[in-house]
Amino acid sequence: MGNHQHVHVDTRALDVDGLAGLGALRLDDVIRLNEPALGMTAGHWRAGFRQCTPNGQAVELRQISDAEAGAYAFAGNTVRSARVSPSWASPFGLELEGMRLSDLRAALENLKDMPDDALVVITSATHPWEGRHSPAETGLSTGRYVPNPTGGGYGDIYYDEFADRPDEDVPADAVAAVFLSPTN
């Protein structure tokens, strides 16, 4: 049906007329938003596959035209009105994950033993199971850093927490660093 805008929306984010929630939609059912909500424009959105998120489940929604919504209804798929759930606090269809400023302040307070000239390196959150959708761990770590111009602008990171591993050869010119992984 073409390249339409699509989003993933937490099953708790929208109330859907006649259903227990967004998670009760069947594949190809259609919702109608009467006004823009959660970063989506008003109009029709077709339900796609469900996906697990760190906090629950999300449904993929693809924006479709009024004519396409009519075709889905004619094929036997239900079209229902939807609106933001009163209990949903995020301005987006998914909860905002990541480190809060209060967490950062507390973590920095615990870094009294780091030198003032330690480099601050912003990294992506680590994924313990190395999968794209595995739960990510945000936070602040310490270690050593060496720039690596052949690595696409990234450097080599050596975390203090892994310093006792025999295969962890930290180069002598590595600098002290604080690694900030703020978001998933």
Side-chain angles (χ1 to χ4, degrees):
M1 295 209 131
N3 289 332
H4 295 292
Q5 181 182 3
H6 72 278
V7 296
H8 287 91
V9 178
D10 190 295
T11 55
R12 301 166 295 174
L14 292 174
D15 288 339
V16 180
D17 286 349
L19 295 177
L22 186 63
L25 285 177
R26 295 176 307 160
L27 185 65
D28 291 336
D29 277 351
V30 176
I31 62 168
R32 182 181 62 252
L33 294 174
N34 291 327
E35 58 188 38
L38 307 177
M40 298 182 291
T41 59
H44 291 97
W45 294 81
R46 179 181 57 86
F49 295 101
R50 287 192 186 95
Q51 165 181 326
C52 288
T53 64
N55 297 321
Q57 281 196 354
V59 173
E60 179 189 71
L61 295 175
R62 290 197 176 269
Q63 189 173 27
I64 59 174
S65 68
D66 292 346
E68 289 171 310
Y72 277 108
F74 184 76
N77 299 95
T78 307
V79 177
R80 299 176 187 274
S81 291
R83 73 207 55 71
V84 177
S85 173
S87 62
W88 189 252
S90 176
F92 304 106
L94 296 174
E95 286 184 292
L96 296 176
E97 302 274 336
M99 178 182 270
R100 300 296 191 229
L101 183 56
S102 60
D103 298 331
L104 177 60
R105 286 182 177 137
L108 290 173
E109 191 64 32
N110 293 326
L111 293 180
K112 303 245 187 260
D113 58 339
M114 290 296 292
D116 285 342
D117 66 344
L119 186 65
V120 175
V121 178
I122 298 176
T123 65
S124 60
T126 57
H127 294 269
W129 300 299
E130 297 299 322
R132 179 173 173 237
H133 299 293
S134 64
E137 296 175 8
T138 60
L140 191 129
S141 303
T142 60
R144 313 283 288 163
Y145 177 81
V146 176
N148 181 355
T150 64
Y154 299 102
D156 297 323
I157 295 173
Y158 303 90
Y159 291 97
D160 283 342
E161 62 189 287
F162 303 120
D164 59 351
R165 291 188 177 175
D167 60 340
E168 191 76 353
D169 293 327
V170 180
D173 58 349
V175 297
V178 174
F179 306 112
L180 175 61
S181 303
T183 59
N184 182 353

